């Protein structure tokens, strides 16, 4: 659970994670525990999770190389 | 894009909706306004809106369905009022407000909050039919495109589910109407539109079937419940 305290991976409720999609492509997301980001492979974007709050805004996302 | 988003035939899209005396509020203006408000929001706005919030959550609690999306969750003022059988996901455009909501969830041990996420209510990151219920409190009048918000909520709520709005809607005539039109001039710094008409949110077919209830005691706010067909 997101609210249960320290960094737990993934930092989201399992059901919530299962319905979360990329805001740009509406395609699937995967959680990267090492960078604490939600990755949209199709959009080549990494959405940060700050203090347990995923920031699902394209303008705040990191562009993935390659 | 889902099928729902295509319900609106060409020529009747967002651009064709007459802007009924609304001054434009872009997303950045909203974010800036709420960043300014975050510290004092609960005292200033929480008091006035508390009744409307409570009424909306009561209505949600009375509905069947477990997974609830609260749009514009803000500092989480409404979160303590949900019953334990509801699982709440809260979204907001303001990270500053969400940080306060997170503190509230931890402080009050609100175990039925599944997550808090920063996202655009008009373009969310949820798959189609992700929720049983969506509730938007005092949001419809601050988003840039209310009809787009409605389409997005129809997309993420499953058929047979429910979409609820509690808002202040424009009193069309009389003294209150005149005061509100005056206040509209200040809406950019205020972050919300006192002159917001229900027609800006609901197209005629939805307006005709929606359940519209004034929130007592003053009737300043209105609760709108729309079944997702």
């Amino acid at each position: 659970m997101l609210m249960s305290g320290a960094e737990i991976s993934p930092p989201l409720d399992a059901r919530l994670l299962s319905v979360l999609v990329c805001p740009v492509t509406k395609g699937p997301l995967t959680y990267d525990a090492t960078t604490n980001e939600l990755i949209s492979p199709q959009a080549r974007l990494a959405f940060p999770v700050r203090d347990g709050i995923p920031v699902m805004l394209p303008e705040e996302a990191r562009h993935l190389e390659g | 894009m889902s099928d729902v988003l295509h319900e609106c035939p060409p020529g009747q899209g967002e651009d064709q909706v007459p802007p009924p005396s609304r001054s434009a509020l872009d997303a950045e203006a909203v974010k800036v306004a709420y960043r300014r408000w975050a510290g004092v929001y609960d005292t200033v706005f929480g008091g006035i809106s508390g009744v409307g919030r409570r009424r909306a959550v009561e209505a949600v609690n009375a509905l069947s369905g477990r997974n609830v999306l609260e749009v514009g969750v803000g500092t989480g003022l409404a979160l303590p009022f949900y019953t334990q059988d509801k699982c709440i996901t809260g979204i907001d455009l303001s990270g500053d407000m969400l940080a306060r909501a997170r503190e509230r969830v931890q402080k009050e041990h609100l175990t039925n909050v599944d997550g808090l996420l920063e996202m655009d209510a008009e373009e969310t990151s949820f798959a189609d039919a992700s929720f049983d219920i969506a509730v938007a409190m005092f949001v419809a009048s601050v988003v840039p495109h209310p009809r787009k918000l409605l389409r997005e909520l129809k997309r993420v709520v499953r058929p047979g589910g429910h979409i609820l709005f509690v808002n202040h809607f424009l009193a069309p005539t009389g003294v209150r109407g005149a005061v509100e039109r005056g206040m509209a001039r200040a809406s950019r710094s205020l972050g919300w539109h006192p002159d917001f008409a229900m027609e800006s949110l609901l197209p005629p077919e939805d307006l005709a079937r929606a359940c519209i209830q004034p929130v007592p005691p003053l009737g300043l706010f209105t609760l709108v419940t729309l079944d997702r067909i």
Side-chain angles (χ1 to χ4, degrees), chain A residues 1-7 11-13 15-16 18-26 29 38 50-57 59-60, chain B residues 1 5 31 67-68 89 93 95 98-99 102 105-106 110-120 123-127 130-131 152 155:
Chain A
M1 291 279 286
L2 162 67
M3 301 304 161
S4 53
E7 291 305 321
L12 283 171
D13 173 77
R15 190 205 83 89
L16 185 54
S18 76
V19 297
L20 213 52
V21 295
C22 171
V24 181
T25 64
K26 300 286 185 267
L29 291 170
L38 288 155
R50 295 180 190 143
D51 294 327
I53 297 171
V55 181
M56 305 308 295
L57 302 171
E59 62 271 22
E60 303 269 332
Chain B
M1 292 292 238
L5 287 174
K31 278 190 88 152
N67 295 306
V68 178
T89 297
L93 192 59
L98 285 171
R102 187 174 191 262
V105 166
Q106 286 175 331
L110 304 176
T111 53
N112 60 345
V113 177
D114 279 351
L116 299 167
L117 304 96
E118 192 172 334
M119 59 173 80
D120 183 347
E123 206 164 338
T124 72
S125 296
F126 301 114
S130 292
F131 297 95
E152 181 68 352
R155 184 183 73 77

Side-chain angles (χ1 to χ4, degrees), chain B residues 5 7 23 34 50 56 58 66-67 69 79 109 114 129 137 140 142 146 158 174 178 184 187 222:
Chain B
L5 287 174
E7 269 181 12
S23 30
Y34 279 88
E58 273 172 27
R66 187 171 178 77
N67 295 306
L69 173 65
L79 292 175
H109 306 291
D114 279 351
M137 305 179 204
V142 301
R158 67 167 169 82
S187 65
T222 307

Side-chain angles (χ1 to χ4, degrees), chain B residues 61-80:
Chain B
N61 288 338
L63 292 167
S64 62
R66 187 171 178 77
N67 295 306
V68 178
L69 173 65
E70 189 181 321
V71 182
V73 66
T75 61
L77 279 167
L79 292 175

Side-chain angles (χ1 to χ4, degrees), chain B residues 150-172:
Chain B
L150 177 66
R151 285 201 296 277
E152 181 68 352
L153 297 186
K154 285 180 177 179
R155 184 183 73 77
V156 300
V157 170
R158 67 167 169 82
H162 311 275
I163 300 169
L164 292 84
F165 297 96
V166 68
N167 219 93
H168 169 85
F169 292 104
L170 176 67

Side-chain angles (χ1 to χ4, degrees), chain B residues 169-218:
Chain B
F169 292 104
L170 176 67
T173 54
V175 176
R176 213 185 95 195
V179 171
E180 284 155 7
R181 276 186 289 278
M183 282 171 73
R185 287 192 292 270
S187 65
R188 197 175 163 88
S189 53
L190 211 54
W192 57 294
H193 291 281
D195 62 338
F196 182 71
M198 204 177 290
E199 289 78 7
S200 306
L201 172 67
L202 299 178
E205 63 274 20
D206 287 335
L207 196 58
R209 66 188 183 86
C211 172
I212 297 167
Q213 300 163 291
V215 177
L218 295 174

